[in-house]
Structure formats: C-alpha cells, structure tokens
Amino acid sequence: MSDGLVWLGTPAFPQAARKALTDTQLRRNLRKATGTIRDKRLRVSAELDDWEQLRDSAAALKLRTLRHLDRYLEQLEASVTAAGGTVHWAADAAEANRIVVELVKATGGPDGGTREVVKVKSMATQEIGLNEALAAEGIAAYETDLAELIVQLADDRPSHILVPAIHRNRAEIREIFRTRMADVPAELTDEPRALAEAARLHLREKFLRAKVAISGANFAVAETGTVLVVESEGNGRMCLTLPETLITVMGVEKVVPSFADLEVFLQLLPRSATGERMNPYTSAWTGVHEGDGPSTFHLVLLDNGRTATLADQVGRQALGCIRCSACLNVCPVYERVGGHAYGSVYPGPIGAILTPQLAGVGRGSEDGADSLPFASTLCGACYDACPVKINIPEVLVHLRAKVVDAKRGRTVPTMESLVMRAATQVLAAPGRLSMAQKAGALGGRLVGRGGRIGPLPGPFHAWSDTRDLPVPPAESFRAWWQRTHPEETGR
Ligand code: SF4
C-alpha cells in the first residue's frame, strides 16, 4: 500500500474494462440498478421548481469554500475544539491510519486497548485503506452499512460510491451470507426483508459491544463545529451514538462555512443520490455532551492529495463533489464496465477526475491513474446530472492534456504521435496540404476497391481493421472551389 490512495496498481482502465465487458451478469445487474436510481432521481428533482437555482447555489458555495479553504478549516478546528472534540491533521493515508490506530489502541479494553471497532460507510477511510491498517494491528473493523457488509464478507471491493455492492444481485448476496456469516439462519431466502434481517442480527451485538466507532462525514460546519452524516439504514445513527469514542475521518474539502449552507446541500444530496426527498437518517453532532452520545470525539482532517488538487484552477472543481453518485448512474461507460475497472474507491466520472489528481496526475501509467481521464466518451451526461455542477468533461480534457504533456519526452514516440506530428506540418502550410490531398487521392485510387480502402499494411492496419475508409475524391473541395469560383479565389 502506498502512502496515498489504495488500490491503484490494478491494470490500466482499458485492460480492466475489456475484462469487465465479458461479464454479462455484471452488466445486467448494473443496468437494472442504475436505471432504477436514475428514473427516481429525475422524478424527484423535477418536483422542485428551484432545482437549477439550488444547483447554482451549491456550485457557488463549494467554489467559495475552496477559495478560502484554509480559513474555514482553521475555523472548524476552533469550533470543534471549543465543543470538546479533538482535531488531528493528516497529510496522507499513512499518517491518518497511524492516528486512528493509536486512538483505537488508547481506548478502554481489559488489555489497555480495544480490539474491534464498528464503522459507518466512509469513502475517506476506504481511500486510505484504514481497515487493512487496523487489521495489521490486530483490530477488527466491522462495516455496518448493509452493502459494505456484503462487500466485506465477500472479500470484495466496492464498485459504486453509494451502493458498493451494486454489482451483486440478491441470489449472490444470499450465498455470501450463507457461506460467510456464522449466525445466518439455514432457511435464508433472497427476499430483501430476509437479507436485511440476517444482517441486522449479525450486527446488533457488535453495535452494543463496540467501544469505538469510526465514521466519515458528509459535511462539517466551520462556524459551529457540527459534523453530519446522512444515511438510509440507521446503522450510522447506532455507530454515532452508542460507543464511548467516535473517530471521524474527513477529507478537508467537506467543510462548509455555515449551518445555513446545509439547507442547499440537504435538498440536493438525497434527491441526486437515491432519488429520495430526504434522507431517512441525518445525524449531526457538535463536540461531546455529557450523558448524550460518545464521551470522546476525534476529527481527523485528511489531505492526501487534496491541497495539490486545489492548486489546479480547473481540476479543483472535483473537490466540490458531495458523493451523490448521480454521475455514475448516468454514465454509459460506468454502466457497461462497473466500478472495479476504475481501480479506485472513486469509480465512474468523478473517479476519472478525482483519482488521478489525488494520486498525482502525469506520474506515469504504471498504476493506472493516468488512464482514467480517458475513460469517458465526453458525452456530458455527468455534467447535466451533477447537483454541484462540476464540469466533469472540462476537467477530463484538462487532465488528458496534462497526462500527454507529462508523457512527452519520457517515452518513445508512438505511431500515433508521429502521424500527428506529420499532420501538424502538413496542415500548417496550404501548399503542403494541397500536395498531400493530391497524393492521397492518387494513393486511394491505386489501393481502393469499389470506393473503399481495405485493411492497410504495416502499423496502419490497427486503425484500418476496424474502420470503413472511403477512397478520397479525385478532386478536393479546395480544388473544386478554385476551379468553379475563379473570380472569388482571384485566379
Ligand atoms: S461529481 Fe457531482 S454527480 Fe458525481 S458524485 Fe460528485 S456531486 Fe455527485
């Protein structure tokens, strides 16, 4: 594991996607799940007359916050501290993991430290590989979100931001429960109610026993020090209230300036995420209160590539993401290849712009990060769906340029780059273009059959094998125009 993002090191996106495309069950599962969420999102967002204004407000709020991020983070630290919490700053994954492990070890237990924690679903802790870091120290981390539990029991990886087990259907989940859960009833069916009940029974005792809970955060309010988690199952509420110690790991970009700002985000997030008007559970806490919830609260503020991303004026938009996953559900690429092909905890369009930036864009393609900005058709559906109006296609194109620039001079020129270089020379001079057009027309007539050019020899065959190439016309448009409009061309 690196000091930064976990997972990267898988094949680059094209190879991983090619493999995923052979899995027809995966495609069926994804099509059904994303289609259902997509339709619900469209229905409930259309109910609000001011939906577009809300999106504009969210985009403006995020941009303003990012512009003054240092100020808001210092304000947040002061507010949390004043409310009885403790704030820790982590520059990267290794530091964040070290802080959390030490905090867990320092909490209760007969041998001076607890050996298990319950967890609320959190992208930040997945990003840093916290479960693996805890396991290395002999501490068991129990995921309590149903989908995360499925992924954990199956030794699998999440494939969607919001529905991590979206690639699994009910029959597969029943099988995972039957083979991996010790306390599962023998007659377990694949009815959602039965599966949820099995998970509930499996988790209840862990909720009651755990001394430490670890969460992420959807938002943290600078002015009050209030931290928020929104979720659908109530497992979060249990984790956030029952244990003695609560540790929250949060990316620094999750801060919002004031409590009033939540009005905008709490309307946009549930509608964009699950197609619900409001979240079943929105938990907010401000420091600690005697006799009410955890008696100790730690907030770990995680950088892990975020300040480097912030320095990029175009790329920084990615830090405005509220992790709703609407962009995944509308993406034609994601719908066909699923989340694992992106090799990151952040899949889909947002992953294609966030992962390379957090990992360091242009470092080389050995870990797959540089291939992600190319994992898109640039159709723009993600931009239309994004509740905070992140211009994902713009960032994709920007990152592609950075990857190409970084590669230049580092690698042996490819056939494509040589052809592009030659094309630049030809297109730069009208005389050269005219000669090239004449040569192309002559060559096309020599090798063409029935108005088409078949497979080309040598290195060109990779291009011509999959394309229908028409024979160039005997006369170019420019030559025809000069011949038929001599008075306008001055000839
Ligand atoms: S980029 Fe936008 S649409 Fe995608 S997850 Fe983030 S907020 Fe949602």
Side-chain angles (χ1 to χ4, degrees), residues 7-16 341-344 351-352 355-356 359-360 363-375 403:
W7 282 28
L8 288 170
T10 52
F13 183 83
Q15 289 84 45
Y342 294 80
S344 160
T355 303
R363 290 179 316 156
S365 56
E366 62 278 355
D367 63 4
D370 281 356
S371 66
L372 293 176
F374 300 87
V403 171

Side-chain angles (χ1 to χ4, degrees), residues 209-477:
R209 204 175 54 210
K211 290 193 173 351
V212 180
I214 298 175
S215 82
N218 290 95
F219 307 100
V221 182
E223 85 179 341
T224 60
T226 307
V227 183
L228 274 93
V229 165
V230 295
E231 41 113 11
S232 302
E233 297 168 16
N235 63 304
R237 180 69 57 84
M238 302 273 270
C239 289
L240 299 168
T241 50
L242 289 177
E244 291 167 15
T245 298
L246 173 60
I247 304 168
T248 298
V249 181
M250 183 191 101
V252 289
E253 79 281 17
K254 294 295 179 70
V255 66
V256 294
S258 71
F259 211 87
D261 299 332
L262 295 173
E263 186 207 342
V264 173
F265 294 112
L266 291 180
Q267 290 188 73
L268 289 168
L269 181 55
R271 285 181 163 84
S272 302
T274 50
E276 292 168 307
R277 294 183 186 94
M278 64 183 290
N279 278 91
Y281 294 89
T282 301
S283 301
W285 66 100
T286 308
V288 291
H289 299 273
E290 205 181 325
D292 182 12
S295 51
T296 313
F297 170 54
H298 295 274
L299 178 62
V300 181
L301 294 174
L302 176 70
D303 184 326
N304 208 30
R306 286 162 173 80
T307 44
T309 305
L310 188 65
D312 185 321
Q313 301 248 354
V314 180
R316 69 164 59 159
Q317 294 179 64
L319 296 177
C321 174
I322 56 172
R323 310 278 191 269
C324 72
S325 74
C327 57
L328 277 68
N329 298 330
V330 298
C331 177
V333 176
Y334 175 85
E335 191 180 295
R336 279 155 188 83
V337 302
H340 292 162
Y342 294 80
S344 160
V345 291
Y346 302 110
I350 180 60
I353 60 170
L354 187 59
T355 303
Q357 296 196 86
L358 294 183
V361 69
R363 290 179 316 156
S365 56
E366 62 278 355
D367 63 4
D370 281 356
S371 66
L372 293 176
F374 300 87
S376 168
T377 61
L378 299 180
C379 71
C382 47
Y383 185 24
D384 286 345
C386 179
V388 281
K389 290 200 165 177
I390 297 173
N391 192 338
I392 294 176
E394 180 189 34
V395 182
L396 284 168
V397 172
H398 172 70
L399 296 180
R400 286 179 186 188
K402 285 182 96 168
V403 171
V404 172
D405 283 347
K407 256 193 195 164
R408 202 170 283 139
R410 198 176 58 201
T411 51
V412 180
T414 60
M415 179 55 69
E416 184 188 356
S417 67
L418 290 174
V419 170
M420 286 300 164
R421 241 179 261 173
T424 308
Q425 295 299 319
V426 169
L427 292 170
R432 273 183 236 144
L433 177 61
S434 171
M435 274 168 59
Q437 283 170 331
K438 282 182 189 146
L442 182 64
R445 278 205 300 282
L446 288 175
V447 299
R449 295 276 175 282
R452 302 269 148 210
I453 297 175
L456 293 169
F460 298 105
H461 83 93
W463 193 86
S464 59
D465 279 357
T466 52
R467 288 169 178 84
D468 216 9
L469 191 63
V471 170
E475 186 178 37
S476 69
F477 175 80

Side-chain angles (χ1 to χ4, degrees), residues 21-220:
L21 283 170
T22 61
D23 188 341
T24 48
Q25 180 66 50
L26 172 77
R27 283 216 301 283
R28 253 198 306 275
N29 295 351
L30 284 170
R31 196 166 45 239
K32 186 164 187 299
T34 54
T36 306
I37 306 175
R38 205 162 50 216
D39 292 346
K40 277 176 76 182
R41 181 183 66 81
L42 284 174
R43 243 191 342 266
V44 297
S45 56
E47 290 172 357
L48 293 183
D49 294 338
D50 60 349
W51 182 251
E52 287 307 315
Q53 286 89 331
L54 280 170
R55 290 179 73 208
D56 286 336
S57 302
L61 274 168
K62 279 289 181 183
L63 282 180
R64 193 189 75 195
T65 308
L66 290 173
R67 216 173 296 130
H68 306 290
L69 191 60
D70 52 345
R71 172 148 55 86
Y72 290 124
L73 286 172
E74 282 173 9
Q75 192 185 2
L76 175 69
E77 180 183 32
S79 306
V80 170
T81 308
T86 308
V87 175
H88 309 258
W89 298 81
D92 56 23
E95 188 174 8
N97 286 333
R98 200 165 47 244
I99 291 168
V100 176
V101 167
E102 279 167 16
L103 289 172
V104 174
K105 281 182 171 176
T107 307
D111 59 351
T114 190
R115 290 286 150 205
E116 59 181 20
V117 299
V118 284
K119 280 188 71 206
V120 193
K121 177 181 174 314
S122 143
M123 303 299 299
T125 60
Q126 286 169 14
E127 175 190 319
I128 60 176
L130 180 62
N131 287 8
E132 293 79 2
L134 289 168
E137 295 292 329
I139 299 163
Y142 299 114
E143 295 290 350
T144 63
D145 173 89
L146 177 57
E148 284 293 344
L149 174 67
I150 295 164
V151 168
Q152 188 179 42
L153 287 173
D155 292 328
D156 200 354
R157 291 170 166 183
S159 66
H160 189 275
I161 289 177
L162 209 73
V163 198
I166 198 169
H167 55 292
R168 301 282 191 183
N169 60 26
R170 290 186 333 201
E172 291 174 294
I173 294 167
R174 182 187 58 167
E175 219 31 52
I176 293 166
F177 279 13
R178 276 160 51 131
T179 51
R180 298 299 180 98
M181 267 185 191
D183 38 7
V184 71
E187 66 284 2
L188 181 68
T189 68
D190 65 2
E191 284 304 307
R193 185 191 289 265
L195 295 171
E197 181 62 13
R200 208 173 283 133
L201 291 173
H202 175 77
L203 291 170
R204 182 154 300 154
E205 174 224 349
K206 295 178 174 54
F207 283 130
L208 296 172
R209 204 175 54 210
K211 290 193 173 351
V212 180
I214 298 175
S215 82
N218 290 95
F219 307 100

